[in-house]
Amino acid sequence: EMCIRDSHWAIPTDLFSLLQKALHILGERFASPLNVHPDTKQYYSQFKEDEAFGAIHDGYSQQPTSPIEANPEYTPIELFRALKHSVQATYTDRPVLQLLVYPNWQEEPYRRWLKHPRVHILTEIPEGKCAFVPPDFFKGPTSHKDSNTAHWGVYLILVANPQGITKWYDSQTLDSLWKEYYTSKQTKP
């Protein structure tokens, strides 16, 4: 399945910044020039023409060499493919750590990968509490209004090998940053 460009929604920039800090994330898979976080060092796009804007074509073309975030298109095929690819990428001697942003949709094929020992659900943002950033957010207020709020829970999934956990994952730092983030949002994880 192919995605359309206006479906490139991203997690809120303040949440992404927290995750970058906590997990040392340097890259994004499945991004576009319209939604890549300003502090991202390297990003992968589905579209070859996005190379003109600094993207690397195809989020499946290379194995990550540093922590990376992935927010694939929310279609059954892409959700399954991206999670499977992420797990397979952990079978190497070098450290691998990936953070995936997924809808908590029941009865989806990707859910079978959630039981894998290298897959860990860090948290679930409750239904109605995650307002995705639309791809045209840089234009200012848009007609999207409430349509960007997820009407489902949003999983933040860690996929990593032991080397990646040792090198980049610090649960105390992440917990501290979560508390700070949720306090500032006046919501609970």
Side-chain angles (χ1 to χ4, degrees):
E1 292 181 35
M2 293 296 291
C3 71
I4 53 176
R5 284 192 183 270
D6 64 355
S7 65
H8 276 279
W9 295 71
I11 60 174
T13 53
D14 59 342
L15 176 57
F16 195 94
S17 294
L18 173 146
L19 295 167
Q20 280 185 315
K21 183 178 179 181
L23 299 172
H24 312 279
I25 293 172
L26 298 176
E28 293 181 57
R29 287 175 46 213
F30 316 116
S32 81
L34 299 177
N35 75 355
V36 67
H37 189 277
D39 294 332
T40 295
K41 304 295 183 213
Q42 183 178 66
Y43 73 101
Y44 298 82
S45 171
Q46 175 180 348
F47 303 101
K48 185 154 181 58
E49 59 267 27
D50 288 345
E51 289 177 343
F53 303 100
I56 297 169
H57 177 241
D58 188 5
Y60 300 107
S61 64
Q62 298 177 16
Q63 297 299 328
T65 57
S66 63
I68 197 163
E69 180 264 2
N71 187 5
E73 291 299 308
Y74 288 3
T75 65
I77 291 172
E78 277 306 302
L79 291 168
F80 182 87
R81 182 179 180 207
L83 189 49
K84 178 182 176 184
H85 182 269
S86 294
V87 169
Q88 290 173 335
T90 66
Y91 286 92
T92 179
D93 291 333
R94 62 183 170 68
V96 175
L97 184 141
Q98 300 170 80
L99 178 78
L100 282 68
V101 180
Y102 267 55
N104 178 3
W105 290 344
Q106 302 301 312
E107 309 301 322
E108 288 293 324
Y110 80 82
R111 293 188 73 84
R112 75 179 191 136
W113 286 101
L114 296 178
K115 297 175 186 168
H116 194 280
R118 293 185 176 195
V119 175
H120 313 277
I121 297 174
L122 293 178
T123 194
E124 179 181 2
I125 301 169
E127 179 178 337
K129 298 290 185 184
C130 185
F132 286 93
V133 177
D136 59 354
F137 78 97
F138 61 89
K139 293 180 183 177
T142 67
S143 62
H144 296 297
K145 296 187 181 174
D146 293 330
S147 67
N148 61 335
T149 300
H151 300 287
W152 53 81
V154 176
Y155 283 147
L156 298 180
I157 303 169
L158 184 72
V159 180
N161 61 11
Q163 301 91 320
I165 296 285
T166 299
K167 185 169 184 176
W168 292 305
Y169 182 72
D170 176 357
S171 63
Q172 290 180 332
T173 299
L174 185 60
D175 288 346
S176 172
L177 290 169
W178 274 132
K179 287 176 187 167
E180 180 183 316
Y181 178 77
Y182 280 110
T183 300
S184 73
K185 297 295 179 188
Q186 298 179 340
T187 61
K188 294 183 179 179

